[in-house]
Amino acid sequence: MDSHRLGAALPRVIGWLNRTNARHPWSHNDRLHRWIARRLPDRRRSVLDVGCGQGLLAWRLSHRFGRVLAIDVDAPQVAATAARCADRPNVTARVASFAEVDGTFDGITMVAVLHHLDLEDALPRIRRLLAPGGRLFVIGLARSETRIDLAWDLLSSVTNPLIGVILHPRPVRDPPSGDPFPTKDPDVTLSELRAAFARHLPGARFRRRLGFRHTIEWTAPAR
C-alpha cells in the first residue's frame, strides 16, 4: 500500500479501534491490581492508597492489611470508596491530597496518580512515609518521547480491543461517554521518571505494560 492510501486508511483504522474499545471496555488499572497483590510487604500493619478512585483497590487491600487509608482529592470518588468499603471497618476514606498525609505506612499504592503530582515533592515524601521494608507500587502513565515509547503505544493501540473482547466479550450497547473520574494527560516522560527516581528512590524497578501503562516498585531500605 502506498503512503497516500495508507494515510487515507489510518483514520478508519483508528475509528474502528475506538469503537471496539468502547463496546468492549476494560480497566487498564484494575487489571494490574493482581501485580500489586503478588508483591505486598511482609509486614502489613497499614497501607496508603493515594488516589483511591472508586475504592476497588482499597477494598482488596483491606483483606491484606490491618489498616487502609484511602485518599483522593475528588469528594465523589471518596464517597464511592466509603460506600464500597462500608463493610470493612479497617478502611478510612478521606478527602485529602498526598501532601496532607502524615504517618508511617508499610505500603503505598498510586494508580494513575503519580503524573498528577510534583515529583520533586512526592518522591521524598514517599521515602519519609514508608516504614523500613515498606513498599511503593505505582501504576503509571508517561508522555511518549522515543521511538520505543511510540512502538509500545502502537502495540497497545492494537492489543487494546483484542484484550477488551477477551475480557468483556458481550458488547456494550450504549457505551458511556467521558471518564468516571478526573483525568490528566501525562507531561513527564518515562526517562524523566527514571531520572527522578534515581535521585530520590534509587533502586526502583520499572516495567513497561500494555494499555499505555508502566509499573514501578520500590522497597524502603532499613534505617
Side-chain angles (χ1 to χ4, degrees):
M1 180 179 292
D2 62 43
S3 60
H4 295 292
R5 293 178 65 186
L6 180 60
L10 188 58
R12 293 196 296 272
V13 173
I14 293 174
W16 176 83
L17 290 171
N18 289 336
R19 289 192 299 273
T20 304
N21 286 333
R23 297 190 68 196
H24 301 273
W26 59 285
S27 172
H28 305 72
N29 299 323
D30 293 353
R31 181 181 66 89
L32 288 166
H33 287 178
R34 287 179 294 179
W35 168 78
I36 295 175
R38 291 194 299 267
R39 290 166 169 77
L40 298 178
D42 293 333
R43 186 169 57 190
R44 302 174 190 172
R45 297 170 301 182
S46 61
V47 63
L48 172 64
D49 184 22
V50 183
C52 57
Q54 298 187 346
L56 181 58
L57 180 57
W59 184 85
R60 289 175 171 170
L61 292 172
S62 71
H63 295 79
R64 311 288 289 276
F65 285 84
R67 180 174 69 93
V68 179
L69 175 57
I71 65 168
D72 204 298
V73 295
D74 186 69
Q77 300 301 313
V78 172
T81 294
R84 184 187 294 272
C85 299
D87 65 336
R88 306 299 300 172
N90 59 331
V91 176
T92 300
R94 181 188 304 167
V95 178
S97 69
F98 183 48
E100 297 174 292
V101 176
D102 290 315
T104 301
F105 301 90
D106 298 307
I108 296 177
T109 60
M110 294 182 169
V111 178
V113 168
L114 188 57
H115 68 285
H116 290 264
L117 306 178
D118 180 345
L119 292 177
E120 296 305 312
D121 175 75
L123 298 187
R125 183 174 296 275
I126 288 168
R127 178 182 281 276
R128 291 195 297 271
L129 292 176
L130 274 179
R135 307 208 69 194
L136 167 71
F137 302 102
V138 174
I139 298 171
L141 299 86
R143 178 171 61 85
S144 295
E145 174 189 34
T146 66
R147 291 182 178 179
I148 294 177
D149 297 336
L150 295 174
W152 272 93
D153 286 351
L154 178 60
L155 182 60
S156 292
S157 297
V158 173
T159 57
N160 259 18
L162 300 177
I163 295 172
V165 170
I166 292 171
L167 298 180
H168 196 291
R170 175 174 290 185
V172 175
R173 292 187 177 182
D174 298 309
S177 59
D179 292 297
F181 39 80
T183 60
K184 173 191 174 184
D185 290 333
D187 54 14
V188 177
T189 66
L190 196 58
S191 61
E192 291 169 338
L193 276 171
R194 290 181 187 274
F197 270 80
R199 290 193 300 273
H200 299 291
L201 305 177
R205 297 176 61 185
F206 284 71
R207 180 176 173 182
R208 295 178 188 268
R209 303 281 182 168
L210 292 176
F212 308 98
R213 298 294 188 273
H214 61 262
T215 55
I216 309 171
E217 54 184 310
W218 182 75
T219 301
R223 294 171 185 165

